[in-house]
Amino acid sequence: MLDSPIDAFKNDVRFRDYIAHVETIPAKKASFKKIPDLNDKIVDYLDSKEIKLYEHQADTYEAIKRDENVILTTTTASGKTLAFNLPIMDSLIDDEKATALYIYPAKALSNDQLNVLKDLESDLDININPRTYDGDTPKSQRYGIRQKSRVILTNPYQLHLILSWHHQWERFYRNLKYIVIDEAHYYRGVFGSNVAFLIRRLKRIANFYGSEPQFILSSATLANPLELANKLTGEEFTLVDNDTSPSGEKDFILFNPFKNYRNSAESSAPSIHVVTADIFRYLMLKNIQTLCFTVSRKTTELIAMWSKKDAKLTDGKLDNSRIAAYRAGYRPEERREIEDGLKSGKYLGVTCTNALELGIDIGSLDAVIISGFPGTMMSTWQQSGRAGRSNQKSLAILLAFENQLDQYYMNNPRAFFSKPQEKAIIDLSNPILQEAHLLCAANELPLKKGEAMKYFSISDDILDSLVKKDDLYLSRAGNYTYKYDDNPAFDHSLDQISSEEFKIMNNRQLLETMERSQVYREAHEGAILINKGETYTVDNVNLKSGYVNVSKKNVDYHTMVLNDTDVNVVSKEFKKQYGDLTIHFGEVSVKKDYYKYKKMQHSRVLGMYPLDLPPLKFKTKGLWFTIPKSVKDTLKKLYPDDDEVFEGGLHGAEHALIGLFPLQVMCDRFDIGGMSTAYHKDTEDATIFIYDGYEGGIGICEKAVDVFVELLESTLELIKGCKCRNGCPSCIYSPKCGNDNKPLHKKATEYILQYMLDETKKNNSEVVKEEIPLKDDEDLYSQALDLYSDHLYSQSKDILHEILSDDPNDLNANLLMAHVLYEQGIEDVSMYYARKALKISPSNQNAGQLLQKLQFAPASTDFVHKSIEHEDSHKSFDDVDTLYEEAYDLFEQGDYDTSRELLEELLSIDDTHVEATALMGYVYRMAGVFPKAVEYARKASKLDRNNEMVRELIKELS
């Protein structure tokens, strides 16, 4: 008997050697349950449609009718919508005034469910007038919807903007009985944390009008459904998770393009995107309707574009008009056309991001390709569940990238298929989100004393700080009100912590929008942007106006940006100790410098080009740990010929741990960042940092501290199991490494990880968690002043650099910096800062007195209003070297103007200083003054053309 088209793939000679594992998931029969005493209209409806309720649907119905908040977590296509629609319709039949609000994470889902509810309204012969209310709703219809509709479908984005108009919704809120939150698993990370605050704002308004709505949540299966439901709404829930729906047999294939590949200089690595396109085309040629999930918008467009081009070469066997790409950023009508095309069969193959992971009705598909592990098991099963909706045999193929996590699963299929779903993370402690939603809440209704704690678990101290910032007004009655006429909701995006938005323009037409960090990664000058299968070159970026101008251009390459990262400890919150290994957790500051980008043709590098972008700076939460000098000494003895063995081991450990983070914590690998260094001034030791990639943090690293031992074990297992000799993307390389994966040392990585794991097993010692008071970071200047008073001059100087990087003309910071440097004996630079303080405030006596002392008198210990006693000591410094070190520090801090002024002073003393001349070139390059940068590069080259810094500068300018 011939193979069916679904079975043929795993036996095809082109693909079978790369199959790591085939898991056949057997078909499952349904289990049904009857509900006694159902409403007659509902009984007639079920009979007319020949519907028998699954057991989990009946359980959900009964729990809702007991007035319990319910979260239903079952697989894709298990009938969750009917499970909550029927009891809601039952209540709306009995109570003709009752209303219900359905919240979906995407407009497409709302439109799907609107049709379902309209059919129910007709079949049950009730008047509920269901309507969607979102950005696409015509203004002419909105008043009627608010006055007449009993069931309204919306999304968090629309709700966020209209809550302040609640007085127009009084009828609806006064009678609000149900709030349905569908696809609840989607609300995690930054988006989920924002929506959790939004739901609390909604509850507060409903309570104001006298209603106490019941919550119904529908979700994919996950490890902590009750915790997610509670954090999302602040309510207690009943869980229904016994999936009793039927399913057809499915082959789930783990496909590893790198299965027989050995990393070496002689062989080029397979291109995962090319292999994905090959499989996608193969399935379509077999007339298998296929959905191909990719990890990015850019890849979605690339694979669709390649597949359309390849279709032209099939002599009519494949029609390229039946291939489409689907992703966020398209216009609503474009997305709906593709959704309808999948249902009707118009489209045979669609590439997409996780936008189609949601429960949008796209009909029954034969196969799903998942190009790269999507970051969570939950997403993986959601995506694979898109195939096989009518009990037919189906196919799911997971293609592995050459990264740590994908390769771990390819080599450990049992770990993949037995792994439980992850925990969804919602973090309500992010101060930026707290303040944003408090402003929105105060704009909607004045906040009374204690309401911030009641609804948001936030103390009134935060409200008082907003009053001090002049964002809120505290009335005599004790109410906090928003002071201004605008709507603060428009300034705060639910999808991100930053509120910055950039518009991508082509010939004055808006293509799409992005936030700043995405512009840095995908739409910097020189980048290739792909939109709806078309390629565009980025001509210019205006960071002030928020506009990015692009031009349409056909190219056969894409671009990838590189960055350099600096991390510093701001404050410690707690630590966990395992033997001599201590894992710290706290607040860190991050500076990311996007300094160059690569042009890539598939996996081949065509060229490297410099970028001139100001660094991104933000504070977040992270973990860090140190590696003792004894480990470094041992590695030096083991590998005496390798100068960077220790640095390579640290770097490799950082990459490998980050690569397997999603194995233990629910996140995407791009949600976290890291840095390793052989010496860090904050810890005074070799240190590895791993941090949440969002301002304020979103709880990822905090969860990781609890599972750090498990993370170590799986990471070490990965390194030992990788067959490469010197490291590869499957173990210690990182695709987003800002240093081009240099230096890396696989054996040193293994040694460091083994040392860490051994420490966790030592003496079976109990884990000790020590709470460390969080240092008040309200006033950085006060901290710097205290450190100065304690003679901790270097630490004080670090904080002052941070202040001056934000505001170079801060009088107090400049003046204190002058005194710090004076006490350190760095008199030339101290004089510079004293002069700068006088320039800012010509009548400042303190600056004048210090300048006089620097020019004519011995050192004194007087400073402002403080008297500081210390031993009189005067260090001797070489002026030129000191000036260079200070100029270099300022350059690293991003204070290019001050760095340039110090370098000018230095070069007036010694114009043969090679590094200073080269650094001046870098300063001008970062300032965008390229003729001057080239001038200093040439001067430095004449002084010493073989100097490494000079060579690097010339390379970046060429």
Side-chain angles (χ1 to χ4, degrees):
M1 179 179 173
L2 293 173
D3 286 338
S4 71
I6 291 291
D7 289 319
F9 173 79
K10 60 189 176 186
N11 298 317
D12 192 281
V13 67
R14 288 167 289 182
F15 303 115
R16 64 190 182 197
D17 290 342
Y18 300 99
I19 293 176
H21 181 80
V22 179
E23 185 84 2
T24 300
I25 301 169
K28 178 167 65 77
K29 290 185 178 180
S31 175
F32 302 98
K33 179 180 177 180
K34 286 189 175 181
I35 303 174
D37 304 322
L38 273 176
N39 184 290
D40 289 343
K41 285 190 174 183
I42 292 186
V43 171
D44 292 343
Y45 168 76
L46 294 174
D47 289 344
S48 68
K49 300 293 183 183
E50 298 183 349
I51 295 173
K52 292 195 297 181
L53 293 178
Y54 302 133
E55 188 177 335
H56 67 269
Q57 291 175 320
D59 291 344
T60 302
Y61 192 109
E62 291 171 340
I64 291 172
K65 296 307 290 181
R66 291 194 301 266
D67 295 331
E68 297 169 5
N69 298 312
V70 176
I71 178 166
L72 171 61
T73 64
T74 52
T75 58
T76 310
S78 57
K80 290 192 285 285
T81 301
L82 185 66
F84 60 74
N85 270 341
L86 289 182
I88 290 174
M89 293 305 111
D90 189 349
S91 295
L92 268 58
I93 291 170
D94 291 342
D95 182 351
E96 293 184 355
K97 289 185 177 180
T99 62
L101 181 67
Y102 285 50
I103 302 172
Y104 294 93
K107 291 179 186 177
L109 279 168
S110 299
N111 292 314
D112 265 0
Q113 293 308 311
L114 176 63
N115 295 325
V116 171
L117 288 166
K118 283 182 175 179
D119 289 343
L120 272 174
E121 180 183 42
S122 174
D123 292 334
L124 294 171
D125 190 25
I126 59 173
N127 180 25
I128 58 173
N129 194 26
R131 292 291 185 272
T132 57
Y133 198 102
D134 56 34
D136 297 335
T137 305
K139 289 185 178 180
S140 60
Q141 297 179 17
R142 295 189 176 195
Y143 177 79
I145 294 172
R146 293 194 298 266
Q147 297 305 311
K148 297 176 183 178
S149 292
R150 298 175 62 203
V151 177
I152 290 179
L153 303 91
T154 189
N155 56 71
Y157 308 100
Q158 183 68 23
L159 192 61
H160 177 53
L161 299 178
I162 64 173
L163 275 184
S164 60
W165 298 90
H166 54 84
H167 56 281
Q168 297 180 348
W169 295 76
E170 181 176 353
R171 173 202 66 91
F172 187 84
Y173 286 132
R174 191 173 297 283
N175 297 288
L176 185 58
K177 185 169 179 60
Y178 296 107
I179 297 175
V180 176
I181 304 176
D182 203 2
E183 305 284 353
H185 58 277
Y186 196 75
Y187 300 109
R188 60 186 192 266
V190 173
F191 183 50
S193 303
N194 268 312
V195 172
F197 282 115
L198 173 64
I199 296 301
R200 285 157 172 78
R201 287 162 47 201
L202 172 63
K203 278 170 56 180
R204 178 170 171 258
I205 287 170
N207 294 168
F208 176 77
Y209 287 105
S211 64
E212 294 276 352
Q214 184 179 348
F215 282 91
I216 302 168
L217 272 60
S218 170
S219 169
T221 52
L222 69 164
N224 62 335
L226 288 172
E227 179 189 359
L228 172 67
N230 174 258
K231 284 200 169 183
L232 197 56
T233 66
E235 303 288 340
E236 297 302 319
F237 279 78
T238 295
L239 173 65
V240 179
D241 62 353
N242 57 323
D243 188 347
T244 54
S245 62
S247 59
E249 182 180 291
K250 177 178 290 179
D251 278 344
F252 199 124
I253 296 176
L254 300 185
F255 188 93
N256 190 3
F258 304 91
K259 183 180 178 185
N260 302 307
Y261 169 68
R262 294 292 177 270
N263 188 279
S264 68
E266 292 78 28
S267 59
S268 59
S271 167
I272 179 70
H273 305 319
V274 171
V275 175
T276 299
D278 288 344
I279 295 174
F280 186 49
R281 184 177 65 252
Y282 170 89
L283 293 175
M284 288 189 293
L285 282 167
K286 294 285 186 181
N287 204 36
I288 297 172
Q289 192 181 31
T290 304
L291 193 61
C292 177
F293 287 98
T294 70
V295 294
S296 71
R297 302 195 302 179
K298 180 184 288 187
T299 309
T300 292
E301 298 281 8
L302 274 174
I303 293 174
M305 182 173 67
W306 294 341
S307 299
K308 285 183 176 185
K309 288 179 179 178
D310 291 341
K312 294 178 181 179
L313 308 176
T314 61
D315 297 326
K317 295 177 183 176
L318 182 58
D319 182 357
N320 69 355
S321 69
R322 298 188 70 193
I323 302 169
Y326 182 106
R327 65 167 176 83
Y330 286 3
R331 295 194 303 274
E333 58 271 22
E334 292 173 324
R335 293 199 300 271
R336 287 172 196 161
E337 190 275 332
I338 296 170
E339 293 156 17
D340 292 340
L342 274 170
K343 280 188 277 189
S344 67
K346 172 185 174 182
Y347 290 113
L348 183 60
V350 171
T351 62
C352 63
T353 58
N354 61 1
L356 278 179
E357 180 183 311
L358 300 171
I360 301 164
D361 183 10
I362 54 173
S364 176
L365 302 175
D366 303 313
V368 162
I369 299 170
I370 306 172
S371 182
F373 181 66
T376 66
M377 294 303 301
M378 188 185 67
S379 288
T380 304
W381 290 111
Q382 280 290 103
Q383 292 178 11
S384 68
R386 278 304 196 174
R389 290 193 168 208
S390 301
N391 296 333
Q392 79 269 33
K393 178 74 178 282
S394 61
L395 177 66
I397 306 169
L398 172 63
L399 280 84
F401 276 52
E402 195 186 9
N403 63 48
Q404 296 91 337
L405 188 59
D406 289 33
Q407 291 302 314
Y408 180 85
Y409 281 136
M410 291 295 130
N411 294 316
N412 297 275
R414 288 273 57 84
F416 179 86
F417 288 102
S418 63
K419 181 174 172 58
Q421 305 286 1
E422 302 89 348
K423 290 185 176 182
I425 295 173
I426 286 180
D427 183 15
L428 300 176
S429 66
N430 185 293
I432 299 170
L433 301 189
Q434 287 180 342
E435 290 191 2
H437 286 280
L438 285 176
L439 292 177
C440 292
N443 182 54
E444 290 149 7
L445 286 169
L447 277 162
K448 298 176 182 177
K449 287 280 187 180
E451 275 197 324
M453 179 59 69
K454 176 183 176 182
Y455 288 101
F456 307 102
S457 300
I458 299 172
S459 74
D460 286 346
D461 292 344
I462 304 295
L463 292 171
D464 292 333
S465 71
L466 289 170
V467 172
K468 289 179 182 176
K469 292 178 182 178
D470 207 30
D471 289 326
L472 291 180
Y473 171 73
L474 179 59
S475 71
R476 290 183 179 179
N479 296 332
Y480 297 91
T481 58
Y482 186 65
K483 292 185 64 172
Y484 307 102
D485 293 333
D486 63 333
N487 184 353
F490 283 97
D491 295 326
H492 180 68
S493 166
L494 298 181
D495 286 317
Q496 58 204 42
I497 292 175
S498 167
S499 59
E500 284 187 289
E501 185 176 79
F502 285 77
K503 292 179 171 62
I504 314 300
M505 309 296 294
N506 174 44
N507 289 330
R508 299 185 180 180
Q509 295 293 315
L510 177 66
L511 278 184
E512 58 183 293
T513 59
M514 294 181 179
E515 51 90 27
R516 180 181 285 262
S517 64
Q518 190 180 354
V519 169
Y520 275 42
R521 295 191 304 269
E522 299 180 20
H524 53 80
E525 288 191 12
I528 298 300
L529 183 71
I530 304 176
N531 182 286
K532 293 193 281 294
E534 303 290 345
T535 54
Y536 299 82
T537 59
V538 177
D539 300 323
N540 60 75
V541 179
N542 191 320
L543 297 176
K544 290 184 179 179
S545 68
Y547 283 91
V548 177
N549 292 306
V550 301
S551 304
K552 191 173 178 180
K553 186 177 181 181
N554 291 322
V555 296
D556 61 352
Y557 63 87
H558 59 282
T559 50
M560 180 183 297
V561 71
L562 300 175
N563 70 79
D564 196 12
T565 303
D566 188 30
V567 182
N568 291 292
V569 176
V570 176
S571 61
K572 299 176 183 178
E573 292 188 26
F574 64 83
K575 63 183 178 182
K576 274 197 168 184
Q577 196 156 346
Y578 307 87
D580 290 335
L581 177 68
T582 302
I583 312 299
H584 297 272
F585 176 82
E587 187 176 27
V588 296
S589 63
V590 179
K591 184 175 78 170
K592 296 179 81 72
D593 181 17
Y594 290 81
Y595 65 99
K596 67 171 67 172
Y597 67 97
K598 298 189 284 188
K599 284 185 180 178
M600 307 280 292
Q601 193 174 57
H602 299 311
S603 58
R604 187 164 64 94
V605 178
L606 301 178
M608 303 275 280
Y609 304 88
L611 277 175
D612 184 20
L613 291 168
L616 291 180
K617 298 178 183 179
F618 60 96
K619 288 182 181 177
T620 184
K621 298 296 179 71
L623 63 85
W624 64 93
F625 52 88
T626 60
I627 304 298
K629 187 175 181 295
S630 58
V631 172
K632 178 180 181 179
D633 293 341
T634 302
L635 286 170
K636 288 289 187 184
K637 290 177 183 176
L638 289 172
Y639 305 97
D641 297 329
D642 195 332
D643 292 337
E644 296 183 302
V645 59
F646 183 54
E647 291 81 356
L650 291 170
H651 199 188
E654 174 215 331
H655 283 183
L657 287 166
I658 288 175
L660 283 191
F661 237 63
L663 188 66
Q664 302 296 341
V665 182
M666 190 172 188
C667 68
D668 186 275
R669 67 200 73 172
F670 291 96
D671 288 339
I672 48 180
M675 187 193 82
S676 59
T677 176
Y679 178 83
H680 196 279
K681 58 181 173 42
D682 292 339
T683 63
E684 299 183 341
D685 219 329
T687 310
I688 293 176
F689 290 90
I690 301 174
Y691 56 85
D692 292 4
Y694 299 91
E695 188 164 2
I698 53 170
I700 297 172
C701 286
E702 187 169 8
K703 290 272 187 187
V705 175
D706 294 331
V707 292
F708 196 79
V709 175
E710 293 88 341
L711 177 63
L712 269 178
E713 289 172 338
S714 53
T715 306
L716 187 58
E717 179 185 359
L718 172 80
I719 302 295
K720 288 181 174 179
C722 188
K723 297 174 183 177
C724 72
R725 271 188 77 182
N726 300 316
C728 68
S730 299
C731 56
I732 62 174
Y733 281 35
S734 169
K736 57 176 184 172
C737 178
N739 295 313
D740 277 339
N741 288 296
K742 297 172 185 175
L744 286 173
H745 197 291
K746 184 180 179 183
K747 288 296 183 183
T749 298
E750 184 179 330
Y751 185 89
I752 289 171
L753 292 171
Q754 187 67 61
Y755 156 78
M756 294 171 66
L757 190 59
D758 290 345
E759 287 300 315
T760 67
K761 310 294 184 187
K762 222 179 240 184
N763 303 324
N764 295 316
S765 59
E766 184 180 351
V767 175
V768 179
K769 185 173 181 179
E770 179 184 349
E771 295 290 341
I772 302 173
L774 196 62
K775 194 168 186 179
D776 182 10
D777 196 36
E778 290 278 321
D779 189 348
L780 287 174
Y781 175 77
S782 294
Q783 291 183 35
L785 188 59
D786 289 344
L787 289 166
Y788 171 86
S789 302
D790 294 336
H791 311 156
L792 299 172
Y793 302 126
S794 294
Q795 292 93 322
S796 178
K797 191 164 69 172
D798 289 339
I799 293 177
L800 291 170
H801 275 311
E802 186 175 347
I803 296 171
L804 291 171
S805 69
D806 292 332
D807 182 6
N809 293 318
D810 187 301
L811 173 63
N812 289 331
N814 277 287
L815 188 53
L816 182 53
M817 181 69 89
H819 280 275
V820 167
L821 294 164
Y822 175 66
E823 298 297 342
Q824 288 185 316
I826 311 175
E827 295 181 359
D828 280 354
V829 188
S830 175
M831 191 178 297
Y832 164 79
Y833 279 101
R835 286 173 178 160
K836 190 173 177 184
L838 271 178
K839 191 182 293 184
I840 297 167
S841 176
S843 61
N844 189 285
Q845 292 184 1
N846 192 276
Q849 290 171 1
L850 177 61
L851 197 57
Q852 190 175 22
K853 280 190 286 187
L854 283 163
Q855 292 171 331
F856 303 112
S860 169
T861 60
D862 294 334
F863 175 64
V864 196
H865 55 278
K866 297 205 172 196
S867 176
I868 305 165
E869 295 180 4
H870 59 86
E871 293 180 12
D872 187 22
S873 62
H874 189 83
K875 298 177 182 177
S876 175
F877 288 88
D878 183 291
D879 290 343
V880 168
D881 289 343
T882 303
L883 283 168
Y884 177 74
E885 289 171 12
E886 190 66 23
Y888 189 85
D889 285 345
L890 288 163
F891 175 80
E892 289 288 291
Q893 294 285 339
D895 187 353
Y896 305 125
D897 288 341
T898 310
S899 178
R900 176 179 52 77
E901 290 177 18
L902 291 181
L903 288 170
E904 285 174 352
E905 187 171 343
L906 185 160
L907 292 172
S908 70
I909 300 169
D910 179 7
D911 60 3
T912 64
H913 197 292
V914 181
E915 284 79 9
T917 307
L919 183 57
M920 185 70 96
Y922 275 105
V923 168
Y924 278 116
R925 183 184 76 81
M926 296 305 295
V929 186
F930 288 97
K932 277 284 189 181
V934 171
E935 176 188 332
Y936 277 95
R938 287 173 179 163
K939 285 182 180 179
S941 179
K942 287 179 181 178
L943 292 169
D944 184 357
R945 68 173 61 246
N946 294 318
N947 181 282
E948 185 177 350
M949 190 173 176
V950 175
R951 289 205 312 269
E952 188 64 27
L953 174 62
I954 292 171
K955 188 191 300 182
E956 291 196 15
L957 290 171
S958 59

